[in-house]
Amino acid sequence: TNYFKDNGIRIVHIWEDDWTLKQDIIKSMVSNLLGNTKKKIYARNCEVRIIRDPKISNKFLKENHIQSSVNSVLKIGLYYKNELVSLMTFDHFEGRKSMSIMEWNISRFCNILNTSVVGGASKLLSYFISCYNPLRIISYADKDWSVGNLYESLNFVKISDGNPDYKYIMNKKRIHKSRFRKSKTNISESSLNLLRIYDCGKIKFELCRSN
């Protein structure tokens, strides 16, 4: 991945289980990367709404985000003609570490499939900042797919380039290693005898603001 990046070539990594289970999402993401997404909605024509029903945000993420749903403190959506077309979610975790009440992590962002919501991320982030006045915002770009262009366009600063991490393979699916912590299984990871598969790591971005 780094070799191709250093030589000006953009590559993405498509996992077999994602292709089997989330093919529509992958096709939409690839189309967007190639600039072939034909349906465009302009954020200026959308209404910002706080989403309080987790069923709505979870359903949207499962249908439109490659990493599916996530527990979040705050969900903010863009609605076009009363349809949810873009979603940004936030929590107070920096990895496994809890953050202060004035610090936030953008845990998910995505648009509805096969649609480019022009200015959507910027409008959602601006709304969040104006309403919640955060001192610090972080987020992570998955290097399997991203080089962090979106965060740079939102004035985030790259602060670290993470090493590859692994998941376990069970029944032809990747399972997060947290499921196999000794505190949960009473068995050390080294004794599990499960195959590991490594990703490309994550890029950490940060946006700091003064009071």
Side-chain angles (χ1 to χ4, degrees), residues 179-189 191-192:
R179 290 257 303 266
F180 301 96
R181 292 190 188 119
K182 189 174 182 180
S183 59
K184 293 183 179 181
T185 65
N186 291 320
I187 303 171
S188 66
E189 278 193 49
S191 302
L192 291 173

Side-chain angles (χ1 to χ4, degrees), residues 82-111:
N82 213 35
E83 178 186 19
L84 179 60
V85 296
S86 189
L87 176 67
M88 189 174 283
T89 70
F90 302 82
D91 61 38
H92 289 295
F93 285 97
E94 189 167 357
R96 295 171 62 185
K97 173 187 171 185
S98 294
M99 305 170 77
S100 76
I101 196 67
M102 298 300 291
E103 297 179 305
W104 294 80
N105 168 49
I106 300 176
S107 51
R108 293 285 189 272
F109 169 73
C110 66
N111 297 324

Side-chain angles (χ1 to χ4, degrees), residues 92 99-105 128-129 132-138 156 206-211:
H92 289 295
M99 305 170 77
S100 76
I101 196 67
M102 298 300 291
E103 297 179 305
W104 294 80
N105 168 49
F128 167 72
I129 289 173
Y132 293 88
N133 193 32
L135 293 180
R136 177 173 173 260
I137 308 169
I138 66 158
F156 280 70
E206 180 181 74
L207 178 65
C208 293
R209 304 174 63 251
S210 57
N211 246 333

Side-chain angles (χ1 to χ4, degrees), residues 5-166:
K5 181 182 177 183
D6 292 343
N7 285 275
I9 299 170
R10 176 74 178 272
I11 63 171
V12 298
H13 303 261
I14 299 173
W15 298 99
E16 182 179 3
D17 56 341
D18 281 343
W19 183 250
T20 301
L21 301 170
K22 304 173 184 179
Q23 195 170 131
D24 288 344
I25 296 176
I26 290 173
K27 287 179 178 179
S28 177
M29 293 171 70
V30 171
S31 179
N32 183 62
L33 286 173
L34 295 173
N36 292 336
T37 303
K38 295 180 180 179
K39 184 177 180 181
K40 287 188 179 181
I41 295 172
Y42 291 90
R44 63 176 178 268
N45 298 324
C46 297
E47 176 190 359
V48 181
R49 298 183 194 173
I50 301 293
I51 299 174
R52 306 194 186 280
D53 185 348
K55 291 181 182 177
I56 294 174
S57 55
N58 286 339
K59 182 176 184 293
F60 189 85
L61 289 172
K62 286 176 181 177
E63 293 176 352
N64 299 285
H65 198 289
I66 193 68
Q67 295 175 328
S68 195
S69 59
V70 67
N71 290 327
S72 302
V73 176
L74 177 66
K75 285 81 69 173
I76 307 176
L78 283 182
Y79 282 78
Y80 179 72
K81 295 182 178 179
N82 213 35
E83 178 186 19
L84 179 60
V85 296
S86 189
L87 176 67
M88 189 174 283
T89 70
F90 302 82
D91 61 38
H92 289 295
F93 285 97
E94 189 167 357
R96 295 171 62 185
K97 173 187 171 185
S98 294
M99 305 170 77
S100 76
I101 196 67
M102 298 300 291
E103 297 179 305
W104 294 80
N105 168 49
I106 300 176
S107 51
R108 293 285 189 272
F109 169 73
C110 66
N111 297 324
I112 196 168
L113 292 189
N114 304 308
T115 304
S116 175
V117 183
V118 181
S122 178
K123 183 165 183 172
L124 287 168
L125 183 63
S126 295
Y127 179 89
F128 167 72
I129 289 173
S130 66
C131 291
Y132 293 88
N133 193 32
L135 293 180
R136 177 173 173 260
I137 308 169
I138 66 158
S139 195
Y140 299 87
D142 183 352
K143 287 199 287 183
D144 284 347
W145 280 94
S146 175
V147 293
N149 290 345
L150 174 65
Y151 295 106
E152 291 172 354
S153 73
L154 297 173
N155 297 317
F156 280 70
V157 174
K158 176 181 173 180
I159 59 172
S160 66
D161 202 336
N163 293 322
D165 199 3
Y166 64 89

